[in-house]
Amino acid sequence: MIIDAGELALLLLAGVGAGLVGATAGLASLVSYPALLAAGMPPVVANMTNTVAMLGTTAGAAAGARPELSGQWRRLLPLCLITTAGGGCGGLVLLLTPPGAFTVVVPWLIGGASVVLLAGPRLRRMAERSKNPETAAPEGIGPAAGAAAFLVGVYGGYFGAAAGVLMLALLTTVWTQPLARTNAAKNIATGTANLIAAAVFAFTGRVLWPAALAVCVGSVAGSWLGSVIVRYLPATPLRIAIAIGGLVLAVVLAREAFAG
């Protein structure tokens, strides 16, 4: 498949938007994945290409959130090992299941991700109310939270939209710290899940590399900017707009999947 210069430029812009949304609202793939579909890619190829491209989001977010990440690496390392294992499993699930299964499942994943994004603040408030300061684990992650992080990693390796929202809600339940610091940790944890899945996909021969590079470069800039913006601006309008767009996309893809 050949991508022309105009499509590459649009994918670059989509990457900027995906990075911005990913660093602030945790839903980068709801911008980048539809853009790759619009470029004419089959769903599974678009998903694999998107997974590789989203490595730029992690890099840009890490660069933009260095102050928030300071002092967190000791507890981030075991968390990242867990999400990396989950991401590898999710990538293998995608490779070993029929492409038609992904086409049918992905509208439900996008729809569910959009609902989770809408409910994100409420989930965080519920988590804060249920948190017991005496049993919280400020320097690590317990077995139950570790199992949940593994499942988020599996989801991230398989598709990934709203994996950041799920991880943010999880980390809020186990760590007591400002939201900007938890958001920075979330970007790294989900990024490692994405990294191992991307490594798996890179050897399949199904990644469209020019498109992946265009989205990746754009996402580096967008996620760096998003990591800075999240310190100062409320993300509510963006979160709601992206969630509504995700629900519309889920309906469109569901109609296409079941019509075919």
Side-chain angles (χ1 to χ4, degrees), residues 4-105:
D4 62 34
E7 288 172 329
L8 286 176
L10 291 175
L11 289 174
L12 181 69
L13 291 176
V16 174
L20 179 63
V21 171
T24 56
L27 211 59
S29 291
L30 277 192
V31 176
S32 54
Y33 178 71
L36 293 168
L37 290 178
M41 296 182 207
V44 174
V45 173
N47 185 51
M48 291 184 179
T49 301
N50 182 63
T51 298
V52 173
M54 287 299 96
L55 296 178
T57 298
T58 303
R66 284 177 295 178
E68 286 77 18
L69 289 170
S70 177
Q72 296 203 72
W73 292 107
R74 193 172 85 177
R75 61 184 178 185
L76 265 176
L77 179 58
L79 175 63
C80 289
L81 291 175
I82 292 171
T83 56
T84 297
C89 291
L92 289 175
V93 169
L94 180 64
L95 290 176
L96 296 176
T97 52
F102 178 81
T103 303
V104 172
V105 170

Side-chain angles (χ1 to χ4, degrees), residues 30 34 69 90 96 122 130 144 162 164 166 174 188 200:
L30 277 192
L69 289 170
L96 296 176
R122 179 169 294 183
S130 64
L166 298 174
V174 295
I188 300 300
V200 172

Side-chain angles (χ1 to χ4, degrees), residues 123-208:
L123 291 175
R124 289 195 292 271
R125 287 194 297 269
M126 291 172 61
E128 287 289 346
R129 287 196 296 267
S130 64
K131 188 181 298 181
N132 185 346
E134 296 181 359
T135 59
E139 296 299 332
I141 188 166
F150 176 79
L151 293 176
V152 174
V154 172
Y155 172 73
Y158 182 77
F159 180 57
V165 177
L166 298 174
M167 184 61 70
L168 185 61
L170 171 63
L171 294 183
T172 304
T173 69
V174 295
W175 292 347
T176 303
Q177 62 179 359
L179 181 60
R181 284 178 61 81
T182 304
N183 188 67
K186 170 266 293 181
N187 289 331
I188 300 300
T190 54
T192 56
N194 198 60
L195 173 63
I196 190 65
V200 172
F201 298 156
F203 293 99
T204 64
R206 303 179 72 180
V207 173
L208 194 60

